[in-house]
PDB file of all heavy atoms in Angstrom:
ATOM      1  N   MET K  20       0.057  17.569 -32.622  1.00 98.00           N
ATOM      2  CA  MET K  20      -0.501  18.087 -31.384  1.00 98.00           C
ATOM      3  C   MET K  20      -1.160  16.937 -30.670  1.00 98.00           C
ATOM      4  O   MET K  20      -1.682  16.021 -31.298  1.00 98.00           O
ATOM      5  CB  MET K  20      -1.569  19.206 -31.648  1.00 98.00           C
ATOM      6  CG  MET K  20      -1.006  20.450 -32.226  1.00 98.00           C
ATOM      7  SD  MET K  20      -2.249  21.666 -32.685  1.00 98.00           S
ATOM      8  CE  MET K  20      -2.757  22.212 -31.088  1.00 98.00           C
ATOM      9  N   ILE K  21      -1.000  16.902 -29.318  1.00 98.00           N
ATOM     10  CA  ILE K  21      -1.542  15.772 -28.578  1.00 98.00           C
ATOM     11  C   ILE K  21      -2.448  16.251 -27.438  1.00 98.00           C
ATOM     12  O   ILE K  21      -2.140  17.154 -26.793  1.00 98.00           O
ATOM     13  CB  ILE K  21      -0.402  14.945 -27.938  1.00 98.00           C
ATOM     14  CG1 ILE K  21       0.587  14.423 -29.045  1.00 98.00           C
ATOM     15  CG2 ILE K  21      -0.871  13.799 -27.070  1.00 98.00           C
ATOM     16  CD1 ILE K  21       1.884  13.840 -28.557  1.00 98.00           C
ATOM     17  N   ARG K  22      -3.669  15.610 -27.352  1.00 97.00           N
ATOM     18  CA  ARG K  22      -4.554  15.954 -26.261  1.00 97.00           C
ATOM     19  C   ARG K  22      -5.339  14.629 -25.859  1.00 97.00           C
ATOM     20  O   ARG K  22      -5.481  13.705 -26.719  1.00 97.00           O
ATOM     21  CB  ARG K  22      -5.611  16.973 -26.769  1.00 97.00           C
ATOM     22  CG  ARG K  22      -6.551  17.534 -25.752  1.00 97.00           C
ATOM     23  CD  ARG K  22      -5.805  18.445 -24.772  1.00 97.00           C
ATOM     24  NE  ARG K  22      -6.806  18.976 -23.719  1.00 97.00           N
ATOM     25  CZ  ARG K  22      -6.398  19.523 -22.604  1.00 97.00           C
ATOM     26  NH1 ARG K  22      -5.122  19.665 -22.376  1.00 97.00           N
ATOM     27  NH2 ARG K  22      -7.267  19.965 -21.790  1.00 97.00           N
ATOM     28  N   SER K  23      -5.627  14.519 -24.607  1.00 96.00           N
ATOM     29  CA  SER K  23      -6.445  13.430 -24.199  1.00 96.00           C
ATOM     30  C   SER K  23      -7.801  13.878 -23.709  1.00 96.00           C
ATOM     31  O   SER K  23      -7.914  15.012 -23.142  1.00 96.00           O
ATOM     32  CB  SER K  23      -5.701  12.744 -22.996  1.00 96.00           C
ATOM     33  OG  SER K  23      -6.520  11.713 -22.505  1.00 96.00           O
ATOM     34  N   SER K  24      -8.746  13.027 -23.863  1.00 96.00           N
ATOM     35  CA  SER K  24     -10.111  13.381 -23.432  1.00 96.00           C
ATOM     36  C   SER K  24     -10.215  13.472 -21.904  1.00 96.00           C
ATOM     37  O   SER K  24     -11.156  14.070 -21.370  1.00 96.00           O
ATOM     38  CB  SER K  24     -11.175  12.433 -23.989  1.00 96.00           C
ATOM     39  OG  SER K  24     -11.002  11.159 -23.439  1.00 96.00           O
ATOM     40  N   ILE K  25      -9.207  13.020 -21.180  1.00 95.00           N
ATOM     41  CA  ILE K  25      -9.140  13.048 -19.733  1.00 95.00           C
ATOM     42  C   ILE K  25      -8.354  14.252 -19.226  1.00 95.00           C
ATOM     43  O   ILE K  25      -8.320  14.494 -18.036  1.00 95.00           O
ATOM     44  CB  ILE K  25      -8.660  11.664 -19.163  1.00 95.00           C
ATOM     45  CG1 ILE K  25      -9.043  11.506 -17.739  1.00 95.00           C
ATOM     46  CG2 ILE K  25      -7.147  11.549 -19.426  1.00 95.00           C
ATOM     47  CD1 ILE K  25     -10.419  11.095 -17.477  1.00 95.00           C
ATOM     48  N   ASP K  26      -7.635  14.907 -20.085  1.00 96.00           N
ATOM     49  CA  ASP K  26      -6.752  16.044 -19.695  1.00 96.00           C
ATOM     50  C   ASP K  26      -7.560  17.047 -18.841  1.00 96.00           C
ATOM     51  O   ASP K  26      -7.070  17.517 -17.785  1.00 96.00           O
ATOM     52  CB  ASP K  26      -6.076  16.666 -20.857  1.00 96.00           C
ATOM     53  CG  ASP K  26      -4.934  15.834 -21.399  1.00 96.00           C
ATOM     54  OD1 ASP K  26      -4.482  14.915 -20.695  1.00 96.00           O
ATOM     55  OD2 ASP K  26      -4.418  16.154 -22.498  1.00 96.00           O
ATOM     56  N   PHE K  27      -8.705  17.500 -19.332  1.00 96.00           N
ATOM     57  CA  PHE K  27      -9.512  18.521 -18.677  1.00 96.00           C
ATOM     58  C   PHE K  27      -9.914  17.992 -17.291  1.00 96.00           C
ATOM     59  O   PHE K  27      -9.886  18.702 -16.317  1.00 96.00           O
ATOM     60  CB  PHE K  27     -10.743  18.844 -19.498  1.00 96.00           C
ATOM     61  CG  PHE K  27     -11.594  19.900 -18.887  1.00 96.00           C
ATOM     62  CD1 PHE K  27     -11.203  21.265 -18.952  1.00 96.00           C
ATOM     63  CD2 PHE K  27     -12.759  19.583 -18.327  1.00 96.00           C
ATOM     64  CE1 PHE K  27     -12.002  22.238 -18.367  1.00 96.00           C
ATOM     65  CE2 PHE K  27     -13.574  20.596 -17.699  1.00 96.00           C
ATOM     66  CZ  PHE K  27     -13.161  21.907 -17.756  1.00 96.00           C
ATOM     67  N   VAL K  28     -10.298  16.697 -17.263  1.00 96.00           N
ATOM     68  CA  VAL K  28     -10.683  16.117 -16.005  1.00 96.00           C
ATOM     69  C   VAL K  28      -9.553  16.079 -14.982  1.00 96.00           C
ATOM     70  O   VAL K  28      -9.696  16.469 -13.825  1.00 96.00           O
ATOM     71  CB  VAL K  28     -11.230  14.632 -16.251  1.00 96.00           C
ATOM     72  CG1 VAL K  28     -11.634  14.048 -14.871  1.00 96.00           C
ATOM     73  CG2 VAL K  28     -12.403  14.682 -17.164  1.00 96.00           C
ATOM     74  N   LYS K  29      -8.338  15.787 -15.433  1.00 96.00           N
ATOM     75  CA  LYS K  29      -7.154  15.841 -14.597  1.00 96.00           C
ATOM     76  C   LYS K  29      -6.847  17.206 -14.067  1.00 96.00           C
ATOM     77  O   LYS K  29      -6.541  17.403 -12.896  1.00 96.00           O
ATOM     78  CB  LYS K  29      -5.900  15.348 -15.327  1.00 96.00           C
ATOM     79  CG  LYS K  29      -5.950  13.853 -15.659  1.00 96.00           C
ATOM     80  CD  LYS K  29      -4.713  13.446 -16.458  1.00 96.00           C
ATOM     81  CE  LYS K  29      -4.614  12.034 -16.742  1.00 96.00           C
ATOM     82  NZ  LYS K  29      -3.447  11.695 -17.574  1.00 96.00           N
ATOM     83  N   GLU K  30      -7.095  18.193 -14.912  1.00 96.00           N
ATOM     84  CA  GLU K  30      -6.892  19.607 -14.513  1.00 96.00           C
ATOM     85  C   GLU K  30      -7.800  19.954 -13.321  1.00 96.00           C
ATOM     86  O   GLU K  30      -7.475  20.618 -12.345  1.00 96.00           O
ATOM     87  CB  GLU K  30      -7.022  20.569 -15.693  1.00 96.00           C
ATOM     88  CG  GLU K  30      -5.947  20.385 -16.714  1.00 96.00           C
ATOM     89  CD  GLU K  30      -6.255  21.015 -18.050  1.00 96.00           C
ATOM     90  OE1 GLU K  30      -7.266  21.742 -18.171  1.00 96.00           O
ATOM     91  OE2 GLU K  30      -5.516  20.735 -19.013  1.00 96.00           O
ATOM     92  N   ILE K  31      -9.093  19.579 -13.456  1.00 95.00           N
ATOM     93  CA  ILE K  31     -10.089  19.815 -12.394  1.00 95.00           C
ATOM     94  C   ILE K  31      -9.729  19.059 -11.141  1.00 95.00           C
ATOM     95  O   ILE K  31      -9.778  19.592 -10.048  1.00 95.00           O
ATOM     96  CB  ILE K  31     -11.524  19.425 -12.850  1.00 95.00           C
ATOM     97  CG1 ILE K  31     -11.963  20.391 -14.022  1.00 95.00           C
ATOM     98  CG2 ILE K  31     -12.485  19.375 -11.743  1.00 95.00           C
ATOM     99  CD1 ILE K  31     -13.256  19.969 -14.645  1.00 95.00           C
ATOM    100  N   ALA K  32      -9.303  17.758 -11.328  1.00 96.00           N
ATOM    101  CA  ALA K  32      -8.880  17.011 -10.171  1.00 96.00           C
ATOM    102  C   ALA K  32      -7.775  17.583  -9.415  1.00 96.00           C
ATOM    103  O   ALA K  32      -7.762  17.546  -8.125  1.00 96.00           O
ATOM    104  CB  ALA K  32      -8.572  15.547 -10.626  1.00 96.00           C
ATOM    105  N   VAL K  33      -6.818  18.143 -10.039  1.00 96.00           N
ATOM    106  CA  VAL K  33      -5.687  18.778  -9.413  1.00 96.00           C
ATOM    107  C   VAL K  33      -6.118  20.068  -8.754  1.00 96.00           C
ATOM    108  O   VAL K  33      -5.786  20.301  -7.536  1.00 96.00           O
ATOM    109  CB  VAL K  33      -4.566  19.078 -10.416  1.00 96.00           C
ATOM    110  CG1 VAL K  33      -3.477  19.971  -9.810  1.00 96.00           C
ATOM    111  CG2 VAL K  33      -3.861  17.790 -10.860  1.00 96.00           C
ATOM    112  N   LYS K  34      -6.811  20.910  -9.452  1.00 95.00           N
ATOM    113  CA  LYS K  34      -7.212  22.174  -8.938  1.00 95.00           C
ATOM    114  C   LYS K  34      -8.230  22.173  -7.798  1.00 95.00           C
ATOM    115  O   LYS K  34      -8.113  22.910  -6.835  1.00 95.00           O
ATOM    116  CB  LYS K  34      -7.798  23.032 -10.086  1.00 95.00           C
ATOM    117  CG  LYS K  34      -8.096  24.501  -9.697  1.00 95.00           C
ATOM    118  CD  LYS K  34      -8.535  25.309 -10.942  1.00 95.00           C
ATOM    119  CE  LYS K  34      -8.716  26.748 -10.539  1.00 95.00           C
ATOM    120  NZ  LYS K  34      -9.064  27.586 -11.700  1.00 95.00           N
ATOM    121  N   PHE K  35      -9.218  21.316  -7.907  1.00 95.00           N
ATOM    122  CA  PHE K  35     -10.291  21.293  -6.919  1.00 95.00           C
ATOM    123  C   PHE K  35     -10.282  20.119  -5.911  1.00 95.00           C
ATOM    124  O   PHE K  35     -10.967  20.180  -4.890  1.00 95.00           O
ATOM    125  CB  PHE K  35     -11.686  21.358  -7.625  1.00 95.00           C
ATOM    126  CG  PHE K  35     -11.840  22.610  -8.422  1.00 95.00           C
ATOM    127  CD1 PHE K  35     -11.781  22.633  -9.769  1.00 95.00           C
ATOM    128  CD2 PHE K  35     -12.126  23.822  -7.740  1.00 95.00           C
ATOM    129  CE1 PHE K  35     -11.993  23.799 -10.524  1.00 95.00           C
ATOM    130  CE2 PHE K  35     -12.277  25.011  -8.435  1.00 95.00           C
ATOM    131  CZ  PHE K  35     -12.170  24.991  -9.834  1.00 95.00           C
ATOM    132  N   PHE K  36      -9.524  19.053  -6.248  1.00 95.00           N
ATOM    133  CA  PHE K  36      -9.632  17.911  -5.386  1.00 95.00           C
ATOM    134  C   PHE K  36      -8.240  17.493  -4.912  1.00 95.00           C
ATOM    135  O   PHE K  36      -8.077  16.435  -4.314  1.00 95.00           O
ATOM    136  CB  PHE K  36     -10.246  16.712  -6.102  1.00 95.00           C
ATOM    137  CG  PHE K  36     -11.699  16.946  -6.435  1.00 95.00           C
ATOM    138  CD1 PHE K  36     -12.029  17.386  -7.694  1.00 95.00           C
ATOM    139  CD2 PHE K  36     -12.676  16.760  -5.549  1.00 95.00           C
ATOM    140  CE1 PHE K  36     -13.398  17.652  -8.012  1.00 95.00           C
ATOM    141  CE2 PHE K  36     -14.044  17.001  -5.860  1.00 95.00           C
ATOM    142  CZ  PHE K  36     -14.341  17.411  -7.136  1.00 95.00           C
ATOM    143  N   ASP K  37      -7.257  18.366  -5.138  1.00 94.00           N
ATOM    144  CA  ASP K  37      -5.939  18.098  -4.636  1.00 94.00           C
ATOM    145  C   ASP K  37      -5.370  16.743  -5.116  1.00 94.00           C
ATOM    146  O   ASP K  37      -4.632  16.112  -4.344  1.00 94.00           O
ATOM    147  CB  ASP K  37      -5.873  18.279  -3.060  1.00 94.00           C
ATOM    148  CG  ASP K  37      -4.435  18.554  -2.638  1.00 94.00           C
ATOM    149  OD1 ASP K  37      -3.679  19.189  -3.360  1.00 94.00           O
ATOM    150  OD2 ASP K  37      -4.127  18.159  -1.458  1.00 94.00           O
ATOM    151  N   TRP K  38      -5.729  16.312  -6.239  1.00 94.00           N
ATOM    152  CA  TRP K  38      -5.227  15.068  -6.799  1.00 94.00           C
ATOM    153  C   TRP K  38      -3.767  15.136  -7.013  1.00 94.00           C
ATOM    154  O   TRP K  38      -3.248  16.165  -7.597  1.00 94.00           O
ATOM    155  CB  TRP K  38      -5.961  14.719  -8.110  1.00 94.00           C
ATOM    156  CG  TRP K  38      -5.512  13.432  -8.762  1.00 94.00           C
ATOM    157  CD1 TRP K  38      -5.481  12.150  -8.209  1.00 94.00           C
ATOM    158  CD2 TRP K  38      -5.063  13.260 -10.123  1.00 94.00           C
ATOM    159  NE1 TRP K  38      -5.017  11.259  -9.138  1.00 94.00           N
ATOM    160  CE2 TRP K  38      -4.760  11.922 -10.260  1.00 94.00           C
ATOM    161  CE3 TRP K  38      -4.890  14.197 -11.118  1.00 94.00           C
ATOM    162  CZ2 TRP K  38      -4.246  11.452 -11.471  1.00 94.00           C
ATOM    163  CZ3 TRP K  38      -4.441  13.672 -12.385  1.00 94.00           C
ATOM    164  CH2 TRP K  38      -4.099  12.350 -12.543  1.00 94.00           C
ATOM    165  N   ASP K  39      -3.026  14.143  -6.663  1.00 95.00           N
ATOM    166  CA  ASP K  39      -1.519  14.159  -6.724  1.00 95.00           C
ATOM    167  C   ASP K  39      -0.907  13.751  -8.129  1.00 95.00           C
ATOM    168  O   ASP K  39       0.295  13.711  -8.341  1.00 95.00           O
ATOM    169  CB  ASP K  39      -0.906  13.272  -5.654  1.00 95.00           C
ATOM    170  CG  ASP K  39      -1.341  11.806  -5.764  1.00 95.00           C
ATOM    171  OD1 ASP K  39      -1.899  11.408  -6.752  1.00 95.00           O
ATOM    172  OD2 ASP K  39      -1.069  11.093  -4.752  1.00 95.00           O
ATOM    173  N   GLY K  40      -1.842  13.418  -9.066  1.00 92.00           N
ATOM    174  CA  GLY K  40      -1.392  13.149 -10.402  1.00 92.00           C
ATOM    175  C   GLY K  40      -0.859  11.714 -10.657  1.00 92.00           C
ATOM    176  O   GLY K  40      -0.507  11.362 -11.790  1.00 92.00           O
ATOM    177  N   LEU K  41      -0.997  10.863  -9.669  1.00 91.00           N
ATOM    178  CA  LEU K  41      -0.613   9.455  -9.808  1.00 91.00           C
ATOM    179  C   LEU K  41      -1.694   8.661 -10.452  1.00 91.00           C
ATOM    180  O   LEU K  41      -2.862   9.105 -10.496  1.00 91.00           O
ATOM    181  CB  LEU K  41      -0.266   8.873  -8.395  1.00 91.00           C
ATOM    182  CG  LEU K  41       0.940   9.484  -7.736  1.00 91.00           C
ATOM    183  CD1 LEU K  41       1.152   8.873  -6.375  1.00 91.00           C
ATOM    184  CD2 LEU K  41       2.193   9.400  -8.581  1.00 91.00           C
ATOM    185  N   LYS K  42      -1.326   7.505 -11.046  1.00 85.00           N
ATOM    186  CA  LYS K  42      -2.313   6.723 -11.778  1.00 85.00           C
ATOM    187  C   LYS K  42      -2.492   5.355 -11.143  1.00 85.00           C
ATOM    188  O   LYS K  42      -2.439   4.296 -11.738  1.00 85.00           O
ATOM    189  CB  LYS K  42      -1.836   6.552 -13.238  1.00 85.00           C
ATOM    190  CG  LYS K  42      -1.888   7.786 -13.999  1.00 85.00           C
ATOM    191  CD  LYS K  42      -1.531   7.540 -15.467  1.00 85.00           C
ATOM    192  CE  LYS K  42      -1.540   8.704 -16.366  1.00 85.00           C
ATOM    193  NZ  LYS K  42      -1.177   8.413 -17.735  1.00 85.00           N
ATOM    194  N   ARG K  43      -2.766   5.398  -9.765  1.00 90.00           N
ATOM    195  CA  ARG K  43      -3.116   4.088  -9.161  1.00 90.00           C
ATOM    196  C   ARG K  43      -4.541   3.736  -9.563  1.00 90.00           C
ATOM    197  O   ARG K  43      -5.280   4.541 -10.194  1.00 90.00           O
ATOM    198  CB  ARG K  43      -3.099   4.369  -7.609  1.00 90.00           C
ATOM    199  CG  ARG K  43      -1.699   4.712  -7.113  1.00 90.00           C
ATOM    200  CD  ARG K  43      -1.823   5.244  -5.693  1.00 90.00           C
ATOM    201  NE  ARG K  43      -2.648   6.479  -5.595  1.00 90.00           N
ATOM    202  CZ  ARG K  43      -2.234   7.658  -5.178  1.00 90.00           C
ATOM    203  NH1 ARG K  43      -1.040   7.800  -4.748  1.00 90.00           N
ATOM    204  NH2 ARG K  43      -3.128   8.670  -5.171  1.00 90.00           N
ATOM    205  N   GLU K  44      -4.893   2.484  -9.322  1.00 89.00           N
ATOM    206  CA  GLU K  44      -6.241   2.055  -9.758  1.00 89.00           C
ATOM    207  C   GLU K  44      -7.343   2.866  -9.201  1.00 89.00           C
ATOM    208  O   GLU K  44      -8.321   3.183  -9.829  1.00 89.00           O
ATOM    209  CB  GLU K  44      -6.405   0.539  -9.471  1.00 89.00           C
ATOM    210  CG  GLU K  44      -5.588  -0.254 -10.462  1.00 89.00           C
ATOM    211  CD  GLU K  44      -6.148  -1.690 -10.658  1.00 89.00           C
ATOM    212  OE1 GLU K  44      -7.385  -1.824 -10.604  1.00 89.00           O
ATOM    213  OE2 GLU K  44      -5.367  -2.546 -10.921  1.00 89.00           O
ATOM    214  N   GLU K  45      -7.252   3.291  -7.899  1.00 92.00           N
ATOM    215  CA  GLU K  45      -8.271   4.130  -7.311  1.00 92.00           C
ATOM    216  C   GLU K  45      -8.301   5.519  -7.976  1.00 92.00           C
ATOM    217  O   GLU K  45      -9.412   6.104  -8.142  1.00 92.00           O
ATOM    218  CB  GLU K  45      -8.095   4.233  -5.784  1.00 92.00           C
ATOM    219  CG  GLU K  45      -6.815   4.865  -5.358  1.00 92.00           C
ATOM    220  CD  GLU K  45      -5.742   3.876  -5.052  1.00 92.00           C
ATOM    221  OE1 GLU K  45      -5.744   2.733  -5.496  1.00 92.00           O
ATOM    222  OE2 GLU K  45      -4.765   4.317  -4.347  1.00 92.00           O
ATOM    223  N   ASP K  46      -7.160   6.053  -8.369  1.00 93.00           N
ATOM    224  CA  ASP K  46      -7.123   7.309  -9.111  1.00 93.00           C
ATOM    225  C   ASP K  46      -7.789   7.164 -10.469  1.00 93.00           C
ATOM    226  O   ASP K  46      -8.528   8.016 -10.941  1.00 93.00           O
ATOM    227  CB  ASP K  46      -5.710   7.784  -9.338  1.00 93.00           C
ATOM    228  CG  ASP K  46      -4.981   8.029  -8.013  1.00 93.00           C
ATOM    229  OD1 ASP K  46      -5.526   8.696  -7.138  1.00 93.00           O
ATOM    230  OD2 ASP K  46      -3.876   7.473  -7.755  1.00 93.00           O
ATOM    231  N   ARG K  47      -7.517   6.090 -11.204  1.00 91.00           N
ATOM    232  CA  ARG K  47      -8.111   5.823 -12.532  1.00 91.00           C
ATOM    233  C   ARG K  47      -9.611   5.747 -12.373  1.00 91.00           C
ATOM    234  O   ARG K  47     -10.352   6.320 -13.164  1.00 91.00           O
ATOM    235  CB  ARG K  47      -7.565   4.538 -13.163  1.00 91.00           C
ATOM    236  CG  ARG K  47      -6.039   4.595 -13.343  1.00 91.00           C
ATOM    237  CD  ARG K  47      -5.546   3.298 -14.046  1.00 91.00           C
ATOM    238  NE  ARG K  47      -5.947   3.386 -15.418  1.00 91.00           N
ATOM    239  CZ  ARG K  47      -5.300   4.015 -16.345  1.00 91.00           C
ATOM    240  NH1 ARG K  47      -4.235   4.761 -16.064  1.00 91.00           N
ATOM    241  NH2 ARG K  47      -5.684   4.018 -17.631  1.00 91.00           N
ATOM    242  N   LYS K  48     -10.131   5.085 -11.317  1.00 92.00           N
ATOM    243  CA  LYS K  48     -11.544   5.004 -11.054  1.00 92.00           C
ATOM    244  C   LYS K  48     -12.157   6.333 -10.766  1.00 92.00           C
ATOM    245  O   LYS K  48     -13.215   6.708 -11.259  1.00 92.00           O
ATOM    246  CB  LYS K  48     -11.889   4.006  -9.978  1.00 92.00           C
ATOM    247  CG  LYS K  48     -13.342   3.720  -9.788  1.00 92.00           C
ATOM    248  CD  LYS K  48     -13.579   2.578  -8.869  1.00 92.00           C
ATOM    249  CE  LYS K  48     -15.055   2.286  -8.856  1.00 92.00           C
ATOM    250  NZ  LYS K  48     -15.372   1.072  -8.136  1.00 92.00           N
ATOM    251  N   PHE K  49     -11.458   7.153  -9.936  1.00 94.00           N
ATOM    252  CA  PHE K  49     -11.902   8.479  -9.609  1.00 94.00           C
ATOM    253  C   PHE K  49     -12.029   9.337 -10.816  1.00 94.00           C
ATOM    254  O   PHE K  49     -13.026  10.037 -11.050  1.00 94.00           O
ATOM    255  CB  PHE K  49     -10.908   9.131  -8.572  1.00 94.00           C
ATOM    256  CG  PHE K  49     -11.055  10.560  -8.410  1.00 94.00           C
ATOM    257  CD1 PHE K  49     -12.134  11.157  -7.768  1.00 94.00           C
ATOM    258  CD2 PHE K  49     -10.101  11.418  -8.832  1.00 94.00           C
ATOM    259  CE1 PHE K  49     -12.270  12.524  -7.575  1.00 94.00           C
ATOM    260  CE2 PHE K  49     -10.125  12.781  -8.697  1.00 94.00           C
ATOM    261  CZ  PHE K  49     -11.234  13.338  -8.044  1.00 94.00           C
TER     262      PHE K  49
END
């Protein structure tokens, strides 16, 4: 099984901040 400690954060970013899922440096910082 695989999980990342950032997965939950990504889910919030997509749901509430309309994050596009890309991993640009500004996204990584966000």
Side-chain angles (χ1 to χ4, degrees):
M20 295 175 70
I21 300 170
R22 187 72 179 163
S23 174
S24 65
I25 198 78
D26 286 345
F27 181 77
V28 178
K29 288 178 179 178
E30 293 163 11
I31 291 172
V33 168
K34 186 173 182 177
F35 296 106
F36 297 96
D37 201 30
W38 178 56
D39 60 12
L41 297 177
K42 292 183 179 180
R43 298 167 297 240
E44 286 207 30
E45 60 267 19
D46 299 308
R47 299 183 75 79
K48 187 171 186 172
F49 166 69

